Amino acid sequence: MPPLRTALLQSSGIPGSVARNTEVLESAATRAAASGARLLVCPEMFLTGYAIGDDVPRLAEAADGPAARAVAEIAVRHGIAVHYGYPERDGDTLYNAAQLIGPDGTALAHYRKTHLFGDFEEQWFTPGDRPVVQAELGGLRIGLLICYDIEFPENARAHALAGTDLLLVPTALMHPFPFVAESVVPVRAFENQLYIAYANRTGTEGPFEFVGLSTLAGPDGTVRARAGRRDELVIGDVDPGLLAASRAANPYLRDRRPGLYGSLV
């Protein structure tokens, strides 16, 4: 099975403008597809901006709303799967959500952030209640989390036990937490024997300064691709061969003793 070339878009786009961010996404998809990528991963809340305050209710859309249809058109036009973050409206309830659209424009998976971070998110969003959401893409099992979710080891382990090969994590990692991208994400990949694509925002929005450092981490704990601090498109390969070899050499899941861990829950 060939590697799944994956592009991580590091950008904060144009906060407050879905139309302008869709244009940024179009440009990134063009460049990603030209590089041979078959998957493009965008940051948390990419379609609207993260620090949009009172505009959250105005800009939130249904999972199959106009923005989703625009992303699907981009995916089809460039023959590339697209994973993006956005504020979702479901009736009167708002979620910090992410959606994976296949290269044929089909919605493959939809996830609502389960662990909300800080007063801003808790003010506007309801936490999701599905810890493991997966899809199949390029012969790999793809899992979805969002930002703060990956900082809870239970979330990544749940995906590992469910067979996730590549975990997509759109994020809005800010100062003073660059160590999450630098250290936590590669360790999570290693201890759970999977790939993690961690796509961050950059620059300043309102009170937040995002640190960039978007990272593709491999199951061997190495960083396969990493961005700097500015807008960037980074490319890396998710290699099924490396995945199999690393799992054989590091049998953490096989060597677990679940009977000892009951007190954790």
Side-chain angles (χ1 to χ4, degrees):
M1 191 164 56
L4 178 67
R5 179 151 292 179
T6 300
L8 280 64
L9 173 61
Q10 179 166 287
S11 171
S12 287
I14 313 298
S17 176
V18 174
R20 294 286 300 280
N21 290 326
T22 303
E23 293 175 359
V24 174
L25 178 55
E26 174 85 50
S27 175
T30 300
R31 289 178 286 144
S35 77
R38 292 185 286 148
L39 170 62
L40 172 63
V41 184
C42 302
E44 181 176 11
M45 296 275 285
F46 178 73
L47 286 187
T48 60
Y50 181 83
I52 55 175
D54 293 346
D55 279 340
V56 170
R58 179 178 67 86
L59 295 175
E61 291 189 12
D64 59 353
R69 294 194 291 273
V71 173
E73 290 173 2
I74 291 172
V76 170
R77 193 153 45 243
H78 299 285
I80 189 171
V82 179
H83 179 259
Y84 65 97
Y86 76 108
E88 179 200 2
R89 175 180 294 281
D90 185 358
D92 293 330
T93 306
L94 303 177
Y95 298 96
N96 184 335
Q99 185 153 230
L100 175 62
I101 304 291
D104 63 352
T106 301
L108 300 179
H110 186 271
Y111 175 77
R112 294 166 172 170
K113 189 173 186 178
T114 56
H115 295 73
L116 302 179
F117 179 80
D119 294 340
F120 165 68
E121 292 189 15
E122 292 178 355
Q123 175 184 358
W124 290 110
F125 299 116
T126 296
D129 58 7
R130 290 184 62 196
V132 176
V133 172
Q134 296 173 308
E136 300 294 324
L137 180 69
L140 296 171
R141 185 167 296 178
I142 310 296
L144 278 58
L145 293 177
I146 299 175
C147 195
Y148 195 38
D149 292 331
I150 195 62
E151 298 178 40
F152 294 81
E154 298 87 348
N155 288 331
R157 180 49 54 90
H159 270 277
L161 294 174
T164 293
D165 299 312
L166 168 61
L167 191 52
L168 308 183
V169 187
T171 189
L173 182 69
M174 58 194 70
H175 280 293
F177 308 113
F179 61 86
V180 174
E182 294 167 338
S183 301
V184 173
V185 168
V187 169
R188 286 284 179 274
F190 180 65
E191 67 191 4
N192 291 290
Q193 290 299 295
L194 42 70
Y195 279 89
I196 298 177
Y198 188 78
N200 196 20
R201 307 181 70 81
T202 187
T204 300
E205 288 181 51
F208 307 117
E209 183 181 355
F210 302 112
V211 302
L213 302 175
S214 296
T215 301
L216 178 64
D220 56 355
T222 64
V223 172
R224 318 305 290 189
R226 174 170 282 157
R229 302 289 182 133
R230 299 182 178 180
D231 284 13
E232 191 172 346
L233 186 72
V234 293
I235 311 291
D237 287 336
V238 175
D239 184 356
L242 174 63
L243 195 60
S246 184
R247 287 171 172 174
N250 302 288
Y252 290 126
L253 301 185
R254 186 195 69 195
D255 292 344
R256 292 171 65 249
R257 296 182 62 194
L260 300 179
Y261 313 144
S263 63
L264 294 179
V265 294

